[in-house]
Amino acid sequence: MSALLWLVLVTVPSPQVVWIATPRGETSVPVTTERGTAAVAAPRLGPPLGVTVVLDGSRVTVGLSGAVFVFQLGAPFVRTGGVVYGLVGEPYVARDTVFLPLHWLADCVPRALGGRYRWDPTSAAGAGRLVELPIASAVTAAAPPGVASVPTLPPTSAPGPVSAPNPITGLRQRHAVVIDPGHGGVDPGNPGRYFPSHLAEKDITLAIGRLLRAELVRRAIAATLTRSTDTLIDLTDRGALCRAACDLFVSVHVNAMPDGRRVDRVSGVETYFLSDAKTEDQQRVAQMENEAISFETGTSSAATGPLGFILRDLQLNEYLRESAQLAQLVQDSASRIHPGGDRGVQQAGFTVLTTARRPAILVETGFATNRTDAAFLASSLGQHKIASAIANGIVAYLLELERKRAIAVPARGR
Ligand SMILES: [Zn+2]
């Protein structure tokens, strides 16, 4: 426990200023932690870096060194050049000013613009330092192919078995996924208003889960189900199945609207990653899926009390970025084939996701309270389409994971 507490203590301090070092001089920019995570006022980055910021509704478009970064207010990720980066912290507006997560400067900018910027976390006064490399040195560094542009660096030192890329997926390493078909046994999940009378959510999630396993195995990815029959597994034990030899955890569910005026009209697919629920709708879904706890008896492996809280908190920060990116890639893929539309990536506090020791997402594959969605999910074709789309999103994530592992020095592999 002492090692754990030490980890907590050393991760708490945040720099009060961040230094921007360019060939034109060195400037300090204040860092605020008013929203819990470190952030900088975007306009303060204007003079030293030449950053441009456009706020349009909830979309924040930031230009830097010829690259365009697109943020959404309140969302912990950013897109640039077709790549989604997860963020620790979210962009927000306070006092008519856009604040951007410090994590974007420290991690995303060097990764996206590796030839131009370097992050130095160990400079004086506890503050981090973003170093803009002189154009000449960036050009020189660009001379050997594949050295200057970090994001396109070919795999050279990936840990684990490396072989020729798989002809279907392009993946080079072995991967394993845990698939969690939601509910089961005495917990039917949502009753499925427009499903055929003998089907409930637990049957649809099991059917999709089995197909997803087959789709992954077809792509040479090992896949395990938390349940392969109509049984109930404790929520906290489901995530625990994804530990050492597991790359990610995906829980499959079917959504339902509560009785009311919008009940039939809402449709579409959405993908959640673990965080505190932000909106009323996100809280509704989290509460609905967490209700399975009321079916569970006996003890489970969940840590409780203050230690459990610290464990979950640490875990949350460690896998937040990865989970956000996994969620985005699976959502992008699933929304392309879904008849009910794209409800986007969401964040909420799902119990089933808190015990996974790896990036974890929960896919709400559609609404049982919508006729079109329900018919799609109850059909063999629809189930195949969803399973195949989730598998493709997982492959996209694993390709990105292999790329990142190849960039990281071998010592950082885990
Ligand atoms: Zn469910």
Side-chain angles (χ1 to χ4, degrees):
M1 190 207 281
S2 58
L4 179 76
L5 290 174
W6 177 82
L7 253 177
V8 173
L9 288 173
V10 298
T11 55
V12 165
S14 285
Q16 296 307 297
V17 297
V18 58
W19 289 92
I20 310 287
T22 73
R24 304 171 294 283
E26 191 153 335
T27 313
S28 73
V29 174
V31 173
T32 172
T33 52
E34 62 187 343
R35 299 278 174 101
T37 52
V40 291
R44 300 297 291 261
L45 300 171
L49 283 174
V51 162
T52 59
V53 182
V54 177
L55 176 62
D56 177 18
S58 67
R59 173 188 292 239
V60 185
T61 306
V62 174
L64 170 61
S65 210
V68 176
F69 295 84
V70 181
F71 299 81
Q72 294 287 333
L73 292 179
F77 44 83
V78 59
R79 281 172 187 270
T80 184
V83 179
V84 178
Y85 294 97
L87 295 171
V88 175
E90 302 137 358
Y92 62 91
V93 174
R95 302 172 294 282
D96 294 330
T97 300
V98 174
F99 285 79
L100 300 172
L102 178 62
H103 182 243
W104 169 68
L105 267 188
D107 191 58
C108 299
V109 168
R111 280 159 70 196
L113 296 166
R116 290 299 308 279
Y117 299 97
R118 193 183 72 227
W119 178 253
D120 174 11
T122 56
S123 71
R129 192 158 164 269
L130 185 75
V131 181
E132 182 185 316
L133 306 171
I135 297 284
S137 103
V139 170
T140 310
V147 171
S149 177
V150 173
T152 56
L153 197 70
T156 51
S157 58
V162 179
S163 54
N166 178 284
I168 300 175
T169 60
L171 290 167
R172 288 171 179 271
Q173 297 167 3
R174 279 197 210 103
H175 296 282
V177 170
V178 170
I179 302 160
D180 174 44
H183 312 278
V186 294
D187 169 18
N190 87 64
R193 172 191 282 234
Y194 291 122
F195 288 152
S197 59
H198 59 287
L199 291 180
E201 179 185 1
K202 66 174 183 178
D203 305 302
I204 304 292
T205 61
L206 183 57
I208 294 173
R210 283 177 175 153
L211 290 168
L212 176 55
R213 178 174 59 178
E215 290 290 332
L216 290 171
V217 168
R218 203 162 66 77
R219 290 163 175 78
I221 296 166
T224 314
L225 292 167
T226 56
R227 67 180 181 98
S228 55
T229 58
D230 184 15
T231 52
L232 182 64
I233 316 283
D234 276 12
L235 286 183
T236 47
D237 289 338
R238 292 178 188 245
L241 291 167
C242 184
R243 289 285 162 86
C246 166
D247 287 292
L248 60 94
F249 178 88
V250 51
S251 192
V252 176
H253 286 260
V254 178
N255 220 330
M257 287 301 289
D259 285 337
R261 57 197 164 83
R262 293 200 300 163
V263 64
D264 279 16
R265 279 192 284 151
V266 179
S267 68
V269 57
E270 59 195 10
T271 306
Y272 283 80
F273 63 95
L274 178 66
S275 182
D276 291 326
K278 289 286 160 69
T279 68
E280 200 181 315
D281 214 38
Q282 290 165 348
Q283 275 163 11
R284 171 189 63 76
V285 175
Q287 193 179 352
M288 187 170 72
E289 303 301 8
N290 289 343
E291 268 169 13
I293 292 172
S294 61
F295 290 100
E296 293 165 2
T297 54
T299 56
S300 72
S301 59
T304 51
L307 181 61
F309 175 76
I310 291 167
L311 271 171
R312 282 193 295 276
D313 204 43
L314 274 177
Q315 200 177 310
L316 194 70
N317 285 318
E318 189 176 356
Y319 295 117
L320 190 67
R321 289 186 294 157
E322 293 297 317
S323 298
Q325 184 171 38
L326 172 62
Q328 188 68 54
L329 291 167
V330 166
Q331 178 65 24
D332 284 350
S333 178
S335 59
R336 256 180 249 131
I337 55 89
H338 203 284
D342 181 1
R343 291 174 57 84
V345 168
Q346 313 275 349
Q347 41 185 314
F350 289 110
T351 304
V352 68
L353 300 183
T354 60
T355 48
R357 293 284 181 271
R358 289 291 181 272
I361 57 169
L362 186 147
V363 185
E364 291 284 359
T365 53
F367 282 81
T369 44
N370 175 271
R371 283 180 198 276
T372 310
D373 276 15
F376 178 72
L377 292 173
S379 73
S380 171
L381 180 64
Q383 291 169 0
H384 274 92
K385 279 186 170 180
I386 279 279
S388 175
I390 295 174
N392 287 339
I394 288 172
V395 167
Y397 170 80
L398 292 174
L399 283 168
E400 180 67 13
L401 183 70
E402 287 191 358
R403 194 182 62 76
K404 281 185 270 187
R405 281 178 178 169
I407 292 165
V409 290
R412 251 195 65 197
R414 58 160 197 256

